[in-house]
Amino acid sequence: MSADYETGTLDSGYPEIETHPPLPGRAQVDPSLTRNSSFAVFHQLYAADPSVAGSKRCESDNMKMMGARIRTGDEVFYGVTVYIPSTWSFEEDYDDILVQWKGFGGGPFMFITQKHEGLFLRINANTDADYNPENGDDGMIKSQYVITEKLERGRWHDFRLQVIWDWELIGFGFVALDYKTNLDNEYERVVSVIGPNMYNREGYLKWGIYKPAWQEGLDYNVTMRKVWHDNVRIGSSWEEVDPAL
């Protein structure tokens, strides 16, 4: 999969890619701000927007792309680039989730989030073969890794990952994440971790903006988010998924 939006459409030429905006116009293909081509996509969300799937979100996903499903034991490479505008306001510990690797029936296996003044990778795993995500977070192993502590606004942020998906404690689970901005020539390996990185379900990829604090009624100051994504890729090598190319 290589969703580079060069078709000028929200599905980037893949009928299985779907977008779920809270209101018409909240997600659009944009020719005015791109990583290295003619089009990118933006997702925009307001705190007052209606909820989608039980929370405040404006996202695209490849849930119906059967060949790209997350499955235990698979080694998969992912790439995506995200533009954070210069007007972006930091909001302490509240998550702005930009990319999710989502498990069916429960929360994400992994996600890239902006909070404080940085970017972070969160991993949620459960090593119980019979774990039911509908029963909550009992037994969930949660970990967080720093991508960058100082987010540069007004930049494209390039991420590429190698993931061996596994829920077993003594298994093959592995995540490596390389990161740079559009001003950097070389990637830096910022995450490399061995261990479980999912629960015993299949999953899929989501990208856009997801703001849990707005659904939970917390005391927030920001009331609008808008982010751009480009070159959302799934493949079998670093080169195949590199969002900077």
Side-chain angles (χ1 to χ4, degrees):
M1 185 189 96
S2 180
D4 56 16
Y5 295 97
E6 292 308 281
T7 60
T9 59
L10 285 171
D11 66 3
S12 193
Y14 295 93
E16 304 92 340
I17 291 180
E18 296 186 344
T19 301
H20 307 281
L23 292 170
R26 290 286 194 261
Q28 297 183 40
V29 174
D30 188 356
S32 66
L33 184 57
T34 71
R35 176 63 177 88
N36 51 16
S37 55
S38 299
F39 296 98
V41 65
F42 72 72
H43 297 81
Q44 187 175 27
L45 183 66
Y46 287 80
D49 283 347
S51 298
V52 174
S55 197
K56 300 289 186 175
R57 64 178 85 235
C58 181
E59 296 174 301
S60 299
D61 67 59
N62 73 342
M63 183 177 67
K64 294 183 177 180
M65 192 175 288
M66 301 300 294
R69 288 273 177 91
I70 298 168
R71 296 180 174 91
T72 301
D74 284 354
E75 179 183 20
V76 188
F77 291 79
Y78 300 91
V80 61
T81 186
V82 183
Y83 183 83
I84 304 294
S86 59
T87 54
W88 185 275
S89 297
F90 296 128
E91 199 173 25
E92 299 178 354
D93 197 38
Y94 294 158
D95 283 299
D96 287 281
I97 297 175
L98 308 170
V99 185
Q100 295 189 64
W101 291 261
K102 177 75 165 58
F104 282 102
F109 301 146
M110 300 196 310
F111 60 89
I112 294 173
T113 184
Q114 194 286 301
K115 62 179 183 178
H116 302 295
E117 296 185 5
L119 292 165
F120 301 85
L121 178 72
R122 288 285 303 273
I123 300 177
N124 302 316
N126 195 299
T127 60
D128 182 355
D130 299 318
Y131 168 67
N132 184 350
E134 295 182 359
N135 293 335
D137 288 348
D138 288 348
M140 191 67 74
I141 302 168
K142 298 184 177 183
S143 52
Q144 177 173 282
Y145 303 91
V146 177
I147 299 173
T148 179
E149 293 182 333
K150 291 293 184 181
L151 171 71
E152 293 183 68
R153 290 170 284 195
R155 300 279 185 270
W156 284 98
H157 298 266
D158 301 334
F159 309 91
R160 61 181 192 182
L161 300 91
Q162 177 191 16
V163 184
I164 301 175
W165 293 106
D166 202 342
W167 54 267
E168 295 193 66
L169 184 61
I170 308 300
F172 299 96
F174 174 72
V175 178
L177 188 154
D178 294 347
Y179 167 75
K180 70 180 186 68
T181 75
N182 62 296
L183 297 184
D184 299 320
N185 292 322
E186 301 293 334
Y187 283 95
E188 179 184 359
R189 176 67 49 84
V190 293
V191 177
S192 182
V193 58
I194 296 172
N197 49 36
M198 63 185 301
Y199 46 86
N200 193 17
R201 293 288 191 280
E202 291 188 353
Y204 58 99
L205 185 64
K206 303 179 76 175
W207 58 99
I209 184 70
Y210 170 36
K211 187 73 170 170
W214 289 350
Q215 185 69 26
E216 296 165 5
L218 301 178
D219 185 18
Y220 53 83
N221 297 315
V222 174
T223 58
M224 191 277 286
R225 287 301 202 203
K226 185 177 182 180
V227 296
W228 286 255
H229 291 70
D230 205 352
N231 299 338
V232 183
R233 293 172 175 158
I234 302 175
S236 58
S237 69
W238 293 110
E239 294 76 16
E240 187 178 358
V241 302
D242 191 341
L245 300 178

